């Protein structure tokens, strides 16, 4: 399989394969690569990545997740596989290029994260930028992804080395931006939106997380952090609103127990998010 065959941009790209500077998955065919990013940490970016992965899997798509937040990886815990570890395959005659086997969740979502390659998930990663970028490249290129309809990339917050590497070097189909309803957060997230535009990458839309609390008695949406709606914040960012997501204690508790995948599979709460996501993809 050639590099072009595994590129999600092959139908819209005019580059010659020999001149292409993009990275490619050596051991897989990936139709769509979606980055999930925010300008600030702690807004629920990894949670949104997990929700999208499970919702796409529910629809019958073959899904993978690349945890690109190298120094703060959380996808294994979110998807309930933090006790498992990835295997490494050494092919005779090609010992210097080991293949990485992703860990699969209960529903078959393939996950690759640094936390699946180290002994303990609480082991710190004290590396400088070039080494972090090299590890990211290896986790993307050398993982045995197989056939995937979607690879979701959980990106670190901000506009640093990793974000730049992913946007410049990977065949990205589109980006999802995650924010919360505070003007200060929106100001920081706006920097990421501007970066996406400057890199000529398709912005699918913004997810406003922790948008409100729903009253258990009357169902009223109580906006805790801002009186503005998600539409107003999305308008400031210059992006489509994919969904307003509430503060959900039950979902947070399922995450802590490693049961978020089953919780989402049995929930209808994220229909708006996945439906608008699919519409944005066209």
């Amino acid at each position: 399989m050639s590099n072009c065959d595994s590129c999600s941009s092959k139908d819209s790209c005019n580059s010659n394969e020999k001149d292409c500077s993009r990275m490619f998955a050596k051991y897989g065919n990936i139709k769509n690569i979606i980055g999930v990013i925010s300008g600030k940490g702690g807004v629920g970016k990894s949670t949104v990545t997990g929700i999208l992965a499970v919702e796409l899997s529910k629809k019958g798509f073959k899904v993978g997740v690349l945890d690109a937040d190298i120094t703060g990886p959380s996808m294994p815990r979110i998807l309930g596989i933090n006790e498992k570890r990835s295997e490494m395959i050494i092919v005779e005659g090609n010992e210097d290029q080991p293949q990485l086997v992703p860990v699969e969740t209960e529903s078959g979502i393939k996950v690759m994260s640094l936390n699946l390659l180290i002994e303990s998930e609480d082991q710190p990663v004290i590396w400088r930028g070039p080494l972090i970028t090299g590890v990211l490249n290896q986790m993307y290129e050398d993982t045995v992804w197989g056939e995937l309809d979607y690879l979701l990339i959980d990106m670190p917050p901000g506009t640093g080395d990793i974000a730049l590497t992913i946007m410049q070097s990977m065949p990205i189909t589109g980006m999802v931006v995650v924010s919360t309803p505070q003007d200060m957060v929106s100001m920081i997230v706006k920097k990421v939106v501007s970066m996406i535009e400057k890199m000529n990458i398709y912005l699918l839309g913004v997810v406003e997380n922790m948008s409100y609390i729903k009253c258990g008695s009357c169902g009223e949406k109580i906006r805790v952090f801002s009186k503005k709606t998600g539409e107003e914040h999305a308008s400031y960012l210059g992006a489509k609103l994919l969904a307003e997501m509430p503060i959900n204690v039950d979902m947070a508790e399922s995450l802590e127990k490693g049961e978020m995948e089953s919780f989402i599979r049995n929930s209808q709460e994220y229909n708006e998010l996945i439906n608008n996501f699919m519409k944005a993809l066209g």
Side-chain angles (χ1 to χ4, degrees), residues 22-23 35-38 136 153 155-156 158-172 175 177 191-201:
R22 293 194 173 186
M23 297 188 296
V36 183
I37 192 171
S38 182
L136 169 68
I153 304 180
M155 299 173 63
T159 57
D161 286 352
I162 293 295
L164 189 59
T165 295
I166 290 172
M167 292 187 200
Q168 283 186 326
S169 303
M170 294 186 185
I172 299 292
M175 301 288 292
V177 173
K191 297 177 186 291
V192 169
V193 172
S194 297
M195 180 182 186
I196 293 169
E197 292 172 348
K198 288 181 183 296
M199 301 298 293
N200 294 317
I201 294 174

Side-chain angles (χ1 to χ4, degrees), residues 73-97:
S74 56
M75 292 312 305
R77 179 171 283 268
I78 284 175
L79 291 171
I81 55 172
N82 53 302
E83 298 298 328
K84 299 182 180 180
R85 290 295 176 269
S86 171
E87 296 180 8
M88 186 176 293
I89 301 173
I90 306 296
V91 179
E92 187 175 352
N94 198 21
E95 289 82 0
D96 59 337
Q97 290 190 340

